[in-house]
Amino acid sequence: MNNNIDKKTVKKGLLPYLFITLIIISIFYFVNVLNSSVNVLTYDEFVNELDNNNITELEIVTRSSAYTYEVRGSLKGYDENESFFARLPLSEQVMKKIVEAEDKNSFKINVNADPSSSTFLLIVMNVLPFVIMIILGFVLFSRQMSGSKSSLDFGKSRAKLNPDTNKVTFNDVAGLKEEKEELKELIDFLKNPKKFQKLGARIPKGVLLFGPPGTGKTLLAKAVAGEADVPFYFISGSDFVELFVGVGASRVRDMFQQAKRNAPCLIFIDEIDAVGRQRGTGLGGGHDEREQTLNQLLTEMDGFGANEGIIIIAATNRPDVLDPALLRPGRFDRQVTVNLPDVKGREEILAVHARNKKLADGITLSNLAKRTPGFSGADLENLLNEAALLAVRRDKDVITMSEIDEATDRVLMGPAKLSHKYSENDRKLVAYHEAGHAVIGLKLANASDVQKVTIIPRGSAGGYNMMVPSEEKMCSTKTDLLEEITGLLGGRSAEEIVFGEITTGAHNDFEKATKIARSMVTEYGMSDLGPLQFEQQTGSVFLGRDYNKSHNFSNEVANEIDMEMRKIINDCHKKATDIIKKNRDLLQLIAESLLEYETLTKEQIDYLVEHGKMPEENDDNYEAMSITKLREIAKKKEVKNYSKMSKSELLKELNELDK
């Protein structure tokens, strides 16, 4: 790349000099032309000069086509750049007169043939323009053909061959142990297909990977190709769909033709739902371009044998919208669910992404994995990357827990709004609201563990609680759901008890609580209405998932559902209020600590509960100090307007001074 840059630089540097050289040559040429003078003589004048012996040099050019002689030469008394020109009739008498004068006066004579009589010049003048036009047309046509968007290239496959330089193996895929076991058969078949053919085993033609976004479906497909060491063709489902009818089907045919020429190989179709949606649901009917593409894909998958060495792996986040013909045996024979990783899987994923990162000695990946339930592999990679960026921004040599905490908040809620200003009253409201959530989490036996509480605004939230389940479960009990609702209502209960007023800050809590309560009544059978399911998601995915939600109940039952939901919410609200009233001192302690420190970690909260005060502050760690302590330090360092600054602003000023 550097060589190419150097060549371009040299070319750009030579252009001005070439331009200047051309200008100088042109100047000399025009100067010579202007300085030279040509005198045109008539035939009589030329004969007179010839008879008077005034000619010193003569050049004769025969013009057979014009029946004339053209003569040029010099006369006695002419300057260096002065000459004459005359046109003479084509006759023997003229030539005889010139020859006699030359014998008598001995001047120099040159005779040149007519240039138009040259065969070579004739060919050049007549053939060269056509040759130039043919070459120019060929160049333009070649460029048109080589363009990826050429009209003649619509039917070509957009599948890209993954280069060997990007080879991925199972060592790069963590947290998907069962999924890798399911795909090992494909690797064995691609390496040694005869072993399967001896026993008459039919290897799956296609494997469908589905699961939430970011769980590693694409990475898993690349790892299969890397382990088998076979060509890996990558294409997106949207690459088949075009404006022109028939283009998608043509690309499908071309893709399978390329695959057959390079078998054994692997074809990976990402986001197959873009082309594989159920037929008969669109407005275009059977002539819809997408449906024609899907029909061709179904035909091609039936057109090659099970043991030809071509395996298709497809990925999607929405298997419910796929056409049933795609999922039948003989096409996508095997379906593999790629779920979010558990705590062990998250630890393995973190270990993969932490290979090239320098972590501080106190950081253990197992503890970090416990703090990130619900994170996908992509989220975990982004978490460590954000932490590394923050460490670089803060001029640190290693990634500390402070950067990881901030990166976790960024991934979940977005960057902190440090410049956001709100009044002391609003700050106090947010502090008591978040403290209410924390008290419920601390006092309920089956509640999630409080990992972090902050009143620093992020996203649309003025503050938030990070609560992590004590252990990850496959199923939730009725008690778990009721205590989750109680925890969500803790903020509103704290507002009512402390301020005797309610605010709009709990709207997101109500949204989550109402959704859980309705699911308990209508889907999970966790109410006095009995183990019945009143609602199910049968709405069309093409019109909106909740547009045609099925309601299998009468108006009377609908009223009972509303009453049961209200009963659940009211009971949980009453329970949250009672807990906060009994622990009013703890509520006030946490809220006042939040006003001083803005953010409390699990260790600080546990220390508060046990000792009734915050742990001693470390003078070397500004972030763990209270705002009062920071203002004292800012006063000593003569920071202007320190008394009006928030904690985040003080931290920024002090860190800048220390640098």
Side-chain angles (χ1 to χ4, degrees):
M1 184 176 180
N2 293 332
N3 293 335
N4 293 335
I5 294 175
D6 293 340
K7 290 179 180 178
K8 291 180 180 178
T9 306
V10 170
K11 289 180 180 179
K12 290 182 179 179
L14 289 176
L15 284 176
Y17 296 104
L18 293 175
F19 184 69
I20 293 172
T21 304
L22 290 174
I23 292 176
I24 293 172
I25 293 172
S26 302
I27 291 172
F28 277 111
Y29 174 77
F30 285 111
V31 167
N32 290 330
V33 170
L34 292 173
N35 291 334
S36 63
S37 60
V38 178
N39 301 316
V40 179
L41 304 180
T42 63
Y43 174 72
D44 293 335
E45 291 173 341
F46 172 76
V47 172
N48 186 34
E49 296 291 347
L50 191 66
D51 293 339
N52 294 331
N53 192 23
N54 290 330
I55 295 178
T56 59
E57 186 177 356
L58 187 66
E59 179 183 2
I60 303 173
V61 179
T62 59
R63 293 285 185 183
S64 58
S65 58
Y67 302 102
T68 60
Y69 292 112
E70 289 182 359
V71 294
R72 295 181 178 85
S74 300
L75 299 177
K76 292 178 180 179
Y78 273 14
D79 295 334
E80 183 179 357
N81 294 323
E82 192 175 3
S83 63
F84 71 85
F85 170 80
R87 186 172 281 109
L88 311 177
L90 185 63
S91 65
E92 293 182 3
Q93 293 179 356
V94 173
M95 287 302 300
K96 184 178 179 181
K97 187 180 287 290
I98 293 173
V99 171
E100 290 176 352
E102 191 271 336
D103 292 339
K104 182 179 179 181
N105 302 322
S106 299
F107 56 83
K108 185 179 179 182
I109 296 179
N110 294 322
V111 180
N112 295 327
D114 184 3
S116 61
S117 63
S118 172
T119 305
F120 174 75
L121 290 177
L122 183 64
I123 294 175
V124 169
M125 296 298 293
N126 291 278
V127 178
L128 186 61
F130 293 100
V131 174
I132 293 174
M133 291 177 63
I134 293 172
I135 293 174
L136 183 62
F138 178 76
V139 171
L140 294 176
F141 185 75
S142 299
R143 288 185 178 181
Q144 189 73 9
M145 288 289 292
S146 61
S148 60
K149 295 183 179 180
S150 173
S151 59
L152 300 178
D153 197 30
F154 277 149
K156 297 295 183 181
S157 172
R158 294 290 189 267
K160 299 176 181 178
L161 185 63
N162 194 51
D164 294 336
T165 54
N166 296 330
K167 191 173 181 180
V168 179
T169 64
F170 277 165
N171 293 329
D172 302 309
V173 182
L176 299 173
K177 183 178 180 181
E178 290 77 13
E179 290 81 355
K180 289 190 286 188
E181 290 291 335
E182 281 287 318
L183 297 174
K184 280 185 178 179
E185 286 183 2
L186 305 181
I187 299 171
D188 293 339
F189 168 74
L190 292 170
K191 286 183 176 180
N192 188 13
K194 293 182 179 180
K195 181 173 68 173
F196 292 85
Q197 294 172 1
K198 287 180 181 178
L199 297 178
R202 180 180 66 82
I203 202 70
K205 291 182 181 180
V207 178
L208 179 66
L209 306 176
F210 61 88
T215 50
K217 298 182 290 294
T218 304
L219 186 66
L220 199 58
K222 290 182 178 180
V224 172
E227 290 287 338
D229 196 20
V230 296
F232 175 77
Y233 287 95
F234 175 87
I235 192 170
S236 174
S238 59
D239 289 333
F240 292 112
V241 183
E242 277 285 355
L243 173 65
F244 302 101
V245 177
V247 172
S250 176
R251 289 179 179 175
V252 172
R253 288 191 294 269
D254 186 65
M255 180 183 70
F256 279 92
Q257 288 175 3
Q258 291 183 29
K260 289 177 182 178
R261 289 194 295 266
N262 294 279
C265 68
L266 193 69
I267 299 176
F268 177 65
I269 306 176
D270 197 13
E271 304 297 343
I272 194 174
D273 52 275
V275 69
R277 287 192 175 191
Q278 297 176 17
R279 291 168 290 181
T281 55
L283 300 177
H287 296 287
D288 181 56
E289 162 65 4
R290 182 185 55 78
E291 293 192 5
Q292 290 193 20
T293 306
L294 175 58
N295 291 337
Q296 187 63 45
L297 179 62
L298 297 174
T299 303
E300 291 291 339
M301 291 188 72
D302 269 344
F304 66 89
N307 294 321
E308 285 188 4
I310 302 174
I311 295 177
I312 301 177
I313 298 181
T316 182
N317 303 325
R318 301 187 298 171
D320 54 314
V321 305
L322 295 180
D323 194 278
L326 264 179
L327 306 179
R328 72 160 177 83
R331 291 194 176 112
F332 284 103
D333 307 78
R334 186 171 296 177
Q335 301 178 26
V336 179
T337 304
V338 186
N339 284 321
L340 293 172
D342 57 7
V343 62
K344 184 179 179 182
R346 292 196 297 273
E347 184 178 354
E348 294 174 357
I349 294 171
L350 287 168
V352 170
H353 295 302
R355 290 174 182 171
N356 60 340
K357 294 178 176 62
K358 295 180 180 180
L359 302 179
D361 295 336
I363 298 176
T364 57
L365 297 180
S366 58
N367 291 335
L368 185 56
K370 292 177 183 177
R371 298 179 55 181
T372 52
F375 276 49
S376 66
D379 292 331
L380 294 172
E381 190 274 336
N382 189 33
L383 170 65
L384 290 180
N385 185 61
E386 285 287 343
L389 292 175
L390 286 169
V392 173
R393 195 179 303 168
R394 296 174 179 177
D395 295 330
K396 293 186 177 181
D397 297 329
V398 294
I399 301 172
T400 64
M401 202 63 205
S402 174
E403 284 76 44
I404 290 179
D405 282 338
E406 175 66 19
T408 305
D409 295 340
R410 282 171 171 264
V411 172
L412 290 174
M413 303 290 294
K417 296 182 178 179
L418 300 178
S419 61
H420 183 68
K421 296 286 186 180
Y422 54 97
S423 65
E424 284 298 321
N425 186 47
D426 287 341
R427 228 170 142 260
K428 191 175 181 181
L429 276 170
V430 174
Y432 275 95
H433 181 98
E434 300 303 331
H437 289 304
V439 169
I440 300 297
L442 290 169
K443 294 302 177 180
L444 285 180
N446 296 324
S448 300
D449 295 334
V450 180
Q451 292 289 331
K452 186 178 183 180
V453 186
T454 180
I455 60 172
I456 298 175
R458 291 179 184 270
S460 60
Y464 76 97
N465 267 265
M466 182 187 293
M467 304 181 72
V468 177
S470 55
E471 59 179 4
E472 296 184 26
K473 302 177 181 179
M474 292 291 295
C475 300
S476 298
T477 64
K478 182 178 180 180
T479 303
D480 294 336
L481 296 177
L482 289 174
E483 292 195 353
E484 186 175 352
I485 296 175
T486 305
L488 290 169
L489 299 175
R492 165 56 66 88
S493 299
E495 292 175 7
E496 294 173 337
I497 293 171
V498 177
F499 302 100
E501 186 63 87
I502 57 178
T503 68
T504 59
H507 73 281
N508 187 251
D509 299 331
F510 296 156
E511 181 183 351
K512 295 177 181 178
T514 304
K515 186 176 180 180
I516 296 172
R518 188 168 190 87
S519 297
M520 289 176 65
V521 177
T522 61
E523 296 181 36
Y524 306 147
M526 294 180 177
S527 70
D528 293 339
L529 295 180
L532 298 174
Q533 188 178 54
F534 296 101
E535 292 179 349
Q536 54 185 353
Q537 301 289 345
T538 58
S540 172
V541 295
F542 304 100
L543 299 176
R545 293 184 182 273
D546 297 325
Y547 187 76
N548 275 331
K549 200 170 184 179
S550 176
H551 300 279
N552 299 323
F553 48 83
S554 62
N555 293 334
E556 290 79 6
V557 174
N559 183 50
E560 293 182 16
I561 290 173
D562 294 339
M563 294 180 65
E564 286 293 327
M565 289 175 57
R566 189 176 296 112
K567 179 182 176 183
I568 291 174
I569 297 293
N570 289 337
D571 290 346
C572 291
H573 185 205
K574 184 178 182 302
K575 187 176 181 179
T577 304
D578 293 339
I579 292 173
I580 290 177
K581 284 181 178 179
K582 291 179 182 178
N583 298 275
R584 179 70 181 268
D585 294 339
L586 179 60
L587 175 73
Q588 187 170 350
L589 180 62
I590 294 176
E592 291 177 352
S593 300
L594 280 172
L595 291 172
E596 278 290 318
Y597 291 84
E598 291 190 345
T599 300
L600 299 178
T601 63
K602 184 179 187 304
E603 293 76 13
Q604 291 173 325
I605 295 172
D606 292 342
Y607 194 91
L608 268 176
V609 175
E610 184 177 353
H611 299 89
K613 63 178 183 178
M614 288 291 289
E616 294 183 4
E617 298 175 357
N618 183 3
D619 293 340
D620 296 331
N621 188 3
Y622 289 152
E623 295 177 3
M625 291 182 183
S626 65
I627 191 170
T628 304
K629 182 71 172 178
L630 289 173
R631 283 173 179 168
E632 292 176 1
I633 298 174
K635 182 180 179 181
K636 293 179 182 179
K637 295 189 176 185
E638 299 180 352
V639 177
K640 295 181 180 179
N641 299 323
Y642 67 90
S643 60
K644 298 180 180 180
M645 291 184 180
S646 64
K647 182 178 179 180
S648 56
E649 291 172 333
L650 287 169
L651 286 173
K652 184 178 179 181
E653 288 291 331
L654 292 175
N655 287 327
E656 287 293 332
L657 288 174
D658 290 345
K659 289 179 182 179

